[in-house]
Amino acid sequence: MNCTLVLLAAAFGFLTPQDAQKLKVAEANDPRHDFQNLGMDSEAIAVRRLPMGNLRHTWRELGVKIYQHVDWDDEGSAQFYRRQLGFKPFMGKADGVLLDRPEAKLPAHAKAALAAAKDDVKLLERLVELAEKAAKSANHKIRIEHRRVLHFLSDTDTSKENVDTLRLDTLELIRRLEFLLGEKDGGYDKYYELPKLGTRPEAFKPYADVTPMPEGVKPKMNGERVQLADGFFFSVNPEKYSFGFTVENPQGKLVRGRVGDDFNEFTMKLTIPGPEKGSWNSYKYRFRSLPLPMTPLAPQEGSYFMAVQIDDRFEHEVPVVATVPNQDWSRTYPKLVAAGKLAKGAKGGWQLSMDFNMMPMFDNFPMTRDGIVDVWYVEIDKLPGVAGPVLRRISFPKGDKRIREKTYFANFNTGAFTRLYLGPYNEANDLVSRAWSERHYGFLESPTFHLFSRQSDCVFERDVVGLLKGDVANLCEALWDDKNHPHPKIKKMNEAKRNAALAQAGKLVHYFEDVSEARRDYVLMRRRGEMPEVAKPKPKKAVEKLSAPDMDAEASDDITLEDDKF
């Protein structure tokens, strides 16, 4: 089979609403599209979630272009929108992006994000051009390079990988192919100067202009609900690492799992203190309970359930409560996803539960900063029977750093934590071993340091990732708790050693992020002609010097966490 890139016939486009009118772009807000109407009557489709292979191929057969619809949020991160406007839609095989407003009306940091995304796309288009030339080469080893580019464009997780690292690996692949094909240097050195976009355009303080500010509601710490407004409740239980919001409508209707009354859509915004002093993190969640589609549906990939008419033509089905991201998830902006459940209410009508897991907030649990009263803000744009939006403050008890150990660590759930960190941990390890996994393919030497350079990857894995992995590999072994590892070693430790291990567990949550950032720094270092220093092994301290007086006799003594040995 001749494996070639399936690429865009024309240049990647950046459309504004005015361009969309000229092109006759049909916006599809719901992924369960009326396929025939949208596909047959439009020159282009604008979607907020890109379709999977079958649907994408069918639309393209009809000559329909597919654009990623990008909505700008003024509280959003410029780096996030650089990703949404460039790498993500291009590598998701879109024909371009559709902005929600003219470029002239974008704020300054949005324009900077757009300019950086256009540069990223320019580099990707050059990479595709070179890869197509490599595919036609008489040298089979050069043809393999085309396949490596295909792998990079198709399988890289553009939602997680550091966006600067994506650019640098693209640049290194371009340099490699130019070298192997004997092409003239394209003059891309200036793109190694990475754009400095920051996170927000200015300091952010939530609701600074709201007067009078509503009085803070004090939550109960045992999971019992407190009322924020009519039909709107909050609950938190630190011992179970959970908090949640509930919306009730006793007079509402629930028909076949969907809201049958007029209240079928709302947006909730949650603003909480960030891990860094003075920082704030805002999250948006959208509830939608739309009528079931009754029009002909498109060809689908995966399962198809006739009972509820849900198909998997898109990468993920829309959940009951969808997170509306406007930031790159990171240790300074942990990912909080709502688990939504719509059911019959205890007093009739319907009840919507939005439950959250606190585990991602590992470096920023509520009530763990000495003397600080953590205040959360929640705003919901409408409630059943309540006129206008509702804003409430949630005031936690005064913080005490001992709560982290006495409450959170004492009730630590190793199984839930394993589900949180293990996937990204394994993905990060796979990321740094791509060249090794292809060791049976032919490799050609070139002066580049991308993910498929064997010499470069060996140095990166040994001297850079080796240090990061050394810190977390033993943590992973100590905390691993699933059906194949039913007895995590941390349960055999005494309290002092257990707390010392859990204090470092956040490294596992952010391991992928750390590896991706380390790769960015490594490529720039090699570009400057420098090599990473080979770190000397840390001296191991004697167990007796670190042991607490009440150390358990059965405590495991083979788990090393940085300098400490357990």
Side-chain angles (χ1 to χ4, degrees):
M1 178 180 177
N2 183 22
C3 180
T4 57
L5 289 166
V6 180
L7 299 164
L8 309 179
F12 190 88
F14 292 87
L15 304 186
T16 63
Q18 291 83 349
D19 298 324
Q21 293 175 0
K22 298 174 188 176
L23 262 180
K24 194 179 178 184
V25 176
E27 288 198 46
N29 295 322
D30 192 325
R32 297 173 294 266
H33 303 313
D34 178 345
F35 166 72
Q36 291 178 336
N37 290 341
L38 286 175
M40 298 295 286
D41 297 337
S42 305
E43 297 176 27
I45 302 290
V47 292
R48 285 175 171 80
R49 291 188 303 150
L50 292 173
M52 294 171 70
N54 274 10
L55 180 56
R56 183 173 62 241
H57 175 75
T58 306
W59 272 340
R60 288 230 167 91
E61 286 292 301
L62 293 170
V64 177
K65 290 189 174 184
I66 304 169
Y67 288 90
Q68 171 86 64
H69 194 296
V70 179
D71 299 299
W72 182 263
D73 182 340
D74 289 338
E75 292 180 5
S77 155
Q79 282 284 40
F80 172 79
Y81 286 104
R82 174 188 170 191
R83 181 191 305 276
Q84 299 301 111
L85 292 165
F87 282 106
K88 193 169 184 179
F90 189 99
M91 296 169 81
K93 299 182 176 64
D95 293 279
V97 294
L98 173 61
L99 306 175
D100 68 343
R101 65 190 76 176
E103 286 188 36
K105 293 187 177 181
L106 289 172
H109 63 301
K111 291 178 181 177
L114 180 58
K118 288 182 177 180
D119 286 342
D120 294 334
V121 166
K122 180 180 179 180
L123 296 173
L124 288 166
E125 289 178 332
R126 174 59 175 163
L127 178 61
V128 166
E129 178 187 352
L130 292 169
E132 289 177 332
K133 291 181 179 180
K136 299 172 183 177
S137 173
N139 186 332
H140 76 280
K141 289 188 177 181
I142 293 181
R143 292 199 300 274
I144 288 175
E145 297 302 321
H146 155 263
R147 295 176 185 173
R148 290 196 175 102
V149 172
L150 175 64
H151 181 35
F152 172 72
L153 293 175
S154 301
D155 297 337
T156 301
D157 190 341
T158 54
S159 64
K160 290 183 181 177
E161 187 70 81
N162 180 280
V163 71
D164 286 333
T165 307
L166 287 172
R167 173 182 283 199
L168 292 173
D169 271 322
T170 302
L171 280 164
E172 291 300 312
L173 283 166
I174 289 173
R175 291 180 64 232
R176 176 174 177 81
L177 288 178
E178 285 180 341
F179 177 84
L180 297 177
L181 293 169
E183 293 264 329
K184 183 180 178 181
D185 188 325
Y188 295 108
D189 287 356
K190 64 179 182 179
Y191 295 108
Y192 283 91
E193 289 290 331
L194 301 175
K196 305 203 181 319
L197 301 178
T199 54
R200 285 197 177 94
E202 56 188 18
F204 170 73
K205 187 176 181 181
Y207 305 104
D209 57 342
V210 174
T211 54
M213 179 60 67
E215 185 177 345
V217 176
K218 295 182 179 180
K220 299 179 180 179
M221 295 296 114
N222 58 0
E224 187 176 338
R225 300 192 320 180
V226 294
Q227 184 167 324
L228 302 177
D230 289 343
F232 190 34
F233 303 88
F234 174 73
S235 61
V236 60
N237 191 334
E239 292 186 359
K240 294 185 177 180
Y241 286 80
S242 67
F243 68 91
F245 297 89
T246 305
V247 176
E248 292 182 349
N249 186 7
Q251 284 74 44
K253 298 177 182 179
L254 196 64
V255 181
R256 296 171 61 192
R258 299 270 172 163
V259 171
D261 50 68
D262 293 336
F263 189 85
N264 55 22
E265 183 174 356
F266 67 78
T267 299
M268 185 183 81
K269 178 179 175 182
L270 175 65
T271 304
I272 65 176
E276 298 178 341
K277 185 177 180 180
S279 66
W280 292 89
N281 294 345
S282 292
Y283 302 87
K284 290 184 180 180
Y285 305 94
R286 180 176 293 124
F287 165 70
R288 299 183 75 188
S289 180
L290 301 175
L292 294 173
M294 301 306 293
T295 52
L297 294 170
Q300 73 278 359
E301 291 182 357
S303 55
Y304 186 75
F305 304 92
M306 287 297 294
V308 294
Q309 286 192 296
I310 294 176
D311 65 285
D312 294 338
R313 296 172 295 111
F314 283 68
E315 190 173 355
H316 301 288
E317 182 59 25
V318 174
V320 175
V321 178
T323 306
V324 185
N326 62 6
Q327 299 281 341
D328 282 341
W329 306 126
S330 65
R331 57 171 28 88
T332 58
Y333 222 105
K335 182 178 182 179
L336 294 178
V337 177
K341 182 179 179 181
L342 188 61
K344 289 183 178 180
K347 300 179 181 179
W350 55 263
Q351 172 182 294
L352 173 68
S353 302
M354 295 173 281
D355 297 319
F356 296 81
N357 181 358
M358 280 188 185
M359 282 282 183
M361 303 169 64
F362 205 84
D363 299 321
N364 190 36
F365 290 132
M367 303 179 295
T368 55
R369 296 181 292 180
D370 268 343
I372 302 297
V373 175
D374 286 322
V375 176
W376 291 10
Y377 298 85
V378 59
E379 181 182 7
I380 192 165
D381 61 353
K382 59 181 179 180
L383 283 168
V386 178
V390 172
L391 171 63
R392 292 292 183 269
R393 295 168 66 227
I394 300 169
S395 299
F396 284 84
K398 184 179 292 186
D400 185 337
K401 64 181 180 181
R402 293 172 296 180
I403 291 177
R404 194 165 188 239
E405 294 182 354
K406 297 296 183 182
T407 299
Y408 292 104
F409 288 179
N411 297 280
F412 190 81
N413 186 324
T414 51
F417 190 73
T418 298
R419 291 191 293 273
L420 174 68
Y421 82 81
L422 193 57
Y425 176 80
N426 289 332
E427 288 173 14
N429 290 333
D430 290 343
L431 186 71
V432 299
S433 60
R434 285 186 180 177
W436 181 88
S437 66
E438 291 193 337
R439 62 194 181 282
H440 299 303
Y441 290 127
F443 276 85
L444 297 169
E445 294 299 324
S446 75
T448 57
F449 316 107
H450 59 86
L451 286 171
F452 300 105
S453 169
R454 295 193 73 188
Q455 178 271 342
S456 173
D457 265 14
C458 286
V459 174
F460 177 60
E461 186 170 9
R462 181 192 66 208
D463 298 337
V464 180
V465 178
L467 296 178
L468 292 173
K469 193 172 183 180
D471 285 348
V472 300
N474 293 301
L475 274 170
C476 178
E477 184 181 351
L479 296 169
W480 201 338
D481 184 358
D482 59 17
K483 63 180 181 181
N484 298 318
H485 303 79
H487 305 292
K489 294 183 179 182
I490 199 169
K491 292 185 178 179
K492 297 179 182 180
M493 297 179 186
N494 70 353
E495 183 180 356
K497 296 302 174 183
R498 188 169 178 272
N499 287 340
L502 292 179
Q504 301 178 56
K507 292 180 180 179
L508 279 170
V509 178
H510 305 295
Y511 179 58
F512 187 102
E513 177 187 351
D514 291 342
V515 168
S516 188
E517 290 181 357
R519 172 148 197 88
R520 173 200 63 198
D521 299 339
Y522 168 77
V523 172
L524 290 173
M525 176 188 298
R526 294 298 302 270
R527 175 76 173 161
R528 295 191 300 265
E530 302 171 7
M531 290 285 286
E533 294 183 9
V534 180
K536 296 179 181 179
K538 297 178 180 179
K540 295 181 179 179
K541 300 178 182 178
V543 175
E544 290 77 16
K545 293 181 180 179
L546 296 172
S547 301
D550 60 345
M551 184 174 182
D552 294 344
E554 296 182 357
S556 171
D557 63 356
D558 62 347
I559 304 300
T560 303
L561 301 172
E562 291 193 340
D563 292 341
D564 297 351
K565 181 168 181 173
F566 299 92

